[in-house]
């Protein structure tokens, strides 16, 4: 009987040790399957963030677009006159010294055309604002007519421009007239378009 009690106590001790050992072992952690609702995803992470303010969004925006836009922006030094074609420059300035503009005339005429008066007004304002400037008024004609006739007609055209400017207050001593007749065509072609360019007075700054 005493032997039986001894073995019973030993069996209880072994049982107690076994229970303690298995009780201390870590239980395996079961992970949810990939893609399940409990696993955080990139979309959930994005949605959990607080919405950005306009200022924060602008700070996070890439700057590449701005740099590209700055490259395509025209230089502030470029002007409308620099982009004009050669023909447009001829029709605007002839052989005048910019910003002074050429004055064009009708065939066999030396009166100021109505469409040229605004140009003469601009020229007069420039000369009044720059009293130190002296200008040579160069009369020109197309190739039709004799040399003597065209020299006289070119002089009359230059005098018409001078009279207009003097009436606007420009000193006559600053305006020198000269005629080249048909000798200096702006356009050497023998067409109506070319002749229209060659009937003009150029305002050339000489001082």
């Amino acid at each position: 009987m005493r032997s039986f009690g001894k073995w019973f106590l030993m069996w209880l001790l072994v049982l107690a040790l076994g229970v303690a050992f298995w009780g201390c072992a870590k239980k395996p952690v079961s992970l949810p399957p990939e893609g399940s609702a409990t696993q955080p995803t990139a979309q959930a992470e994005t949605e959990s963030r607080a919405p950005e303010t306009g200022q924060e969004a602008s700070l996070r925006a890439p700057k590449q677009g701005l740099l590209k836009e700055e490259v395509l922006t025209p230089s502030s030094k470029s002007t409308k006159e620099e982009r004009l074609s050669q023909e447009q420059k001829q029709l605007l300035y002839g052989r005048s010294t910019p910003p002074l503009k050429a004055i064009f005339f009708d065939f066999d005429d030396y009166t100021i055309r109505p469409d040229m008066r605004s140009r003469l007004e601009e020229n007069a304002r420039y000369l009044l604002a720059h009293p130190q400037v002296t200008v040579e008024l160069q009369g020109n004609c197309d190739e039709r007519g004799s040399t003597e006739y065209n020299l006289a007609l070119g002089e009359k055209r230059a005098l018409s421009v001078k009279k207009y400017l003097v009436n606007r207050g420009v000193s006559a001593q600053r305006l020198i007239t000269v005629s080249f007749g048909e000798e200096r065509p702006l356009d050497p072609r023998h067409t109506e378009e070319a002749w229209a360019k060659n009937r003009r007075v150029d305002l050339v700054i000489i001082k």
Side-chain angles (χ1 to χ4, degrees), residues 152-206:
L153 182 57
E155 180 67 20
K156 291 178 181 178
R157 287 171 175 170
L159 289 171
S160 293
V161 172
K162 179 178 181 178
K163 181 180 179 180
Y164 194 104
L165 294 174
V166 169
N167 289 339
R168 293 299 181 274
V170 181
S171 173
Q173 283 70 33
R174 300 169 55 198
L175 304 172
I176 301 171
T177 60
V178 62
S179 176
F180 292 111
E182 60 189 79
E183 298 175 3
R184 297 184 65 193
L186 189 63
D187 191 330
R189 295 176 299 165
H190 309 290
T191 63
E192 289 290 344
E193 182 182 2
W195 293 335
K197 293 180 185 178
N198 295 334
R199 299 190 299 262
R200 72 190 189 283
V201 170
D202 293 319
L203 289 79
V204 180
I205 297 177
I206 60 175

Side-chain angles (χ1 to χ4, degrees), residues 128-148:
L128 291 173
H130 300 81
Q132 76 282 3
V133 171
T134 299
V135 175
E136 188 172 79
L137 308 176
Q138 302 175 353
N140 298 272
C141 305
D142 62 41
E143 61 186 345
R144 293 171 290 181
S146 65
T147 300
E148 294 77 10

Side-chain angles (χ1 to χ4, degrees), residues 15-27:
L15 180 63
L17 290 175
V19 172
F21 175 80
W22 290 108
C24 294
K26 293 183 180 179
K27 295 182 179 180

Side-chain angles (χ1 to χ4, degrees), residues 4 29-30 139:
F4 174 77
V29 179
S30 60

Side-chain angles (χ1 to χ4, degrees), residues 38-110:
T38 58
Q39 182 177 1
T41 62
Q43 181 179 1
E45 180 180 352
T46 303
E47 292 176 353
S48 64
R49 294 175 182 170
E52 294 180 333
T53 63
Q55 183 178 5
E56 292 173 343
S58 63
L59 292 176
R60 290 169 56 85
K63 303 298 181 181
Q64 183 177 359
L66 294 176
L67 295 177
K68 183 178 180 181
E69 184 175 336
E70 290 173 358
V71 172
L72 297 178
T73 303
S75 172
S76 59
K77 294 182 180 180
S78 61
T79 62
K80 185 182 295 184
E81 285 78 7
E82 291 174 346
R83 296 190 293 269
L84 293 175
S85 68
Q86 183 64 28
E87 183 176 2
Q88 288 174 318
K89 288 181 179 180
Q90 289 180 345
L91 294 174
L92 189 60
Y93 299 114
R95 287 197 175 96
S96 299
T97 305
L100 297 175
K101 297 177 180 178
I103 308 301
F104 294 91
F105 292 83
D106 290 330
F107 172 69
D108 197 24
D109 196 3
Y110 56 90

